[in-house]
Amino acid sequence: GNAASGNTTLLSRLAFLNEADKLKSIYRASKLCDGSRHENSAEHSWHIMLYAWVLAEHAEQPVDLNRVLMMLLLHDLVEIDAGDTPIHGKISAEDLAALEASEDAAATRIFGLLPAEQGTAFLQIWREFEAAESEDARFAKAIDRVQPLTLNLANGGGSWVEYNVSMAQLNERVGRKVENGAPAVWAYMKPIVQKWFQANVH
Amino acid sequence: GNAASGNTTLLSRLAFLNEADKLKSIYRASKLCDGSRHENSAEHSWHIMLYAWVLAEHAEQPVDLNRVLMMLLLHDLVEIDAGDTPIHGKISAEDLAALEASEDAAATRIFGLLPAEQGTAFLQIWREFEAAESEDARFAKAIDRVQPLTLNLANGGGSWVEYNVSMAQLNERVGRKVENGAPAVWAYMKPIVQKWFQANVH
Ligand SMILES: [Ca+2]
């Protein structure tokens, strides 16, 4: 009956939401602005949703903010199985392929906890983000890269110091992606970041 | 010129986003599902946005999910100045009025960091959430109350144990609000919660 199938639906949904709670225990390379501890992927996801909303006007092309927010809400859930991969860590092409396969399996498992139709919709949004081809995904990817810049600047270098990053590496792994989705933001941040590297990296 | 005013805009926006980072250091009464530590208000906000999306179909009236997500994204920022107020703590009418004034001052200060037009828009959305009158706000408020139920059930009682809560109090402070915005979710959760209280509260 309706009540029984409604209960099955709610049971699946709440199981997914409880599973998602684990993202609060996945820690990233970057630290909070005050440097007191590493940031976890759940609070990071919250923070970059706020970034996306506040900075939406600076997107390279007009974006559908609601879809961007949904992408960012979901984007890191795969880390529950696959872990966080620091962008400044060294990774071989082979390991990268293995990581992508592991993240895709994670997405299938985690979104698979939801009722089928909803799980499929979530999986599609996550895959669109990963593909980084649509306007919305390019902006979402840019935003995901901007926030660690401001954290690192606030806390004395953070993951740049820990991973011994050069300005050339930062340009390649971060700058290009921010420029791709939010060029005005990179134009603003680049000289600030360069100044930090000139003063601190020798 | 345009570049200079664009820079002022970005400077304000990034100052707001750095200020928002402090929400990651505001800890709530509830603990993670695994009971390992208290939850902070930033990761809580992320989690309940996921709740809102996953459970949107169970809203009492059809809601605009995008506006609900925006409300939940912003709703706890005032805690940076005003702190988190546990829903099961005892509070006098006088202290409640003082808290509301302090939260309103916090909203004015924090959203006031943004460029004026954007700050005003954010403040309006926050006030709509607080007023809990629109369909979107009633659903958002219901969702904010549902999530601690599932955390407490998962970790052995959590804030119910800490605050010595009775089922009657839970009905009053939580049940009524969940029922108001998402009655099907309360219909599902109530017997599960009642069973926990019957087994654990004497
Ligand atoms: Ca709160």
Side-chain angles (χ1 to χ4, degrees):
Chain A
N2 266 2
S5 80
N7 282 357
T8 307
T9 299
L10 274 165
L11 184 68
S12 308
R13 286 176 170 159
L14 293 168
F16 167 81
L17 291 164
N18 274 359
E19 183 68 17
D21 192 71
K22 294 179 183 165
L23 196 60
K24 299 169 190 167
S25 301
I26 305 289
Y27 286 89
R28 296 166 44 81
S30 44
K31 289 182 175 173
L32 304 193
C33 283
D34 67 7
S36 58
R37 63 168 174 81
H38 285 269
E39 186 190 33
N40 72 59
S41 290
E43 63 198 0
H44 162 74
S45 298
W46 165 78
H47 204 186
I48 64 175
M49 291 172 74
L50 200 58
Y51 269 71
W53 187 6
V54 167
L55 299 177
E57 154 186 1
H58 308 290
E60 199 267 324
Q61 293 285 322
V63 291
D64 180 339
L65 179 62
N66 304 316
R67 296 188 72 252
V68 171
L69 292 180
M70 286 172 166
M71 281 180 196
L72 296 176
L73 184 48
L74 298 184
H75 83 293
D76 272 344
L77 280 170
V78 294
E79 295 180 1
I80 289 169
D81 290 352
D84 175 61
T85 306
I87 49 172
H88 296 299
K90 311 221 176 304
I91 188 164
S92 67
E94 198 177 355
D95 288 349
L96 187 64
L99 173 69
E100 283 172 4
S102 140
E103 289 187 344
D104 204 82
T108 303
R109 181 189 76 78
I110 294 165
F111 299 131
L113 296 172
L114 287 164
E117 197 181 342
Q118 192 166 40
T120 303
F122 280 36
L123 187 60
Q124 277 172 355
I125 291 177
W126 178 78
R127 287 196 171 137
E128 179 183 338
F129 172 80
E130 281 299 301
E133 285 164 6
S134 68
E135 300 300 339
D136 295 343
R138 288 196 298 126
F139 181 62
K141 286 272 181 184
I143 288 298
D144 191 27
R145 288 289 194 270
V146 168
Q147 184 250 16
L149 298 179
T150 61
L151 296 191
N152 283 351
L153 286 168
N155 66 35
S159 58
W160 298 331
V161 175
E162 197 176 337
Y163 287 88
N164 200 21
V165 176
S166 69
M167 186 68 207
Q169 286 170 327
L170 190 80
N171 257 316
E172 174 65 23
R173 299 191 191 178
V174 175
R176 280 178 49 201
K177 283 170 186 165
V178 178
E179 195 167 31
N180 185 36
V185 177
W186 183 238
Y188 178 81
M189 294 298 294
K190 190 177 180 179
I192 300 172
V193 172
Q194 270 176 327
K195 203 172 156 188
W196 188 92
F197 276 82
Q198 276 156 13
N200 294 282
V201 179
H202 305 283
Chain B
N2 266 0
S5 79
N7 281 357
T8 307
T9 300
L10 273 165
L11 184 68
S12 308
R13 285 176 171 159
L14 292 169
F16 167 81
L17 291 165
N18 273 1
E19 184 68 16
D21 193 71
K22 294 178 183 166
L23 196 60
K24 299 168 190 168
S25 301
I26 305 290
Y27 286 89
R28 295 166 44 82
S30 44
K31 290 183 174 174
L32 304 193
C33 282
D34 67 8
S36 57
R37 62 168 174 82
H38 284 269
E39 187 190 32
N40 71 60
S41 290
E43 64 197 0
H44 163 74
S45 298
W46 166 78
H47 205 186
I48 65 176
M49 288 190 279
L50 200 59
Y51 269 72
W53 187 5
V54 167
L55 300 177
E57 154 187 2
H58 308 290
E60 198 268 325
Q61 294 286 322
V63 291
D64 181 338
L65 179 61
N66 304 316
R67 296 188 74 253
V68 172
L69 292 182
M70 286 172 167
M71 282 180 196
L72 296 176
L73 185 47
L74 299 183
H75 83 293
D76 271 344
L77 280 170
V78 294
E79 296 180 1
I80 290 170
D81 290 352
D84 176 61
T85 305
I87 48 173
H88 296 300
K90 310 220 177 304
I91 187 164
S92 67
E94 199 177 354
D95 288 349
L96 186 63
L99 174 68
E100 282 172 5
S102 140
E103 289 187 343
D104 204 81
T108 303
R109 182 190 76 77
I110 294 166
F111 298 132
L113 296 171
L114 286 166
E117 197 182 342
Q118 192 166 40
T120 303
F122 280 37
L123 187 59
Q124 278 172 355
I125 291 177
W126 177 78
R127 287 196 171 137
E128 180 182 338
F129 172 80
E130 281 300 300
E133 285 163 6
S134 69
E135 299 301 338
D136 294 344
R138 289 195 296 125
F139 181 62
K141 286 272 180 185
I143 288 297
D144 191 27
R145 288 289 194 270
V146 167
Q147 183 250 18
L149 297 179
T150 59
L151 296 191
N152 283 351
L153 285 168
N155 65 36
S159 59
W160 298 332
V161 175
E162 196 177 338
Y163 288 87
N164 200 20
V165 177
S166 69
M167 186 69 206
Q169 287 170 327
L170 190 80
N171 257 318
E172 175 64 21
R173 300 193 191 177
V174 175
R176 282 178 47 203
K177 284 170 185 164
V178 178
E179 194 168 30
N180 185 36
V185 176
W186 183 241
Y188 177 81
M189 293 299 294
K190 190 177 180 178
I192 300 172
V193 172
Q194 271 176 326
K195 203 171 157 190
W196 187 92
F197 276 82
Q198 277 156 13
N200 293 282
V201 178
H202 307 284

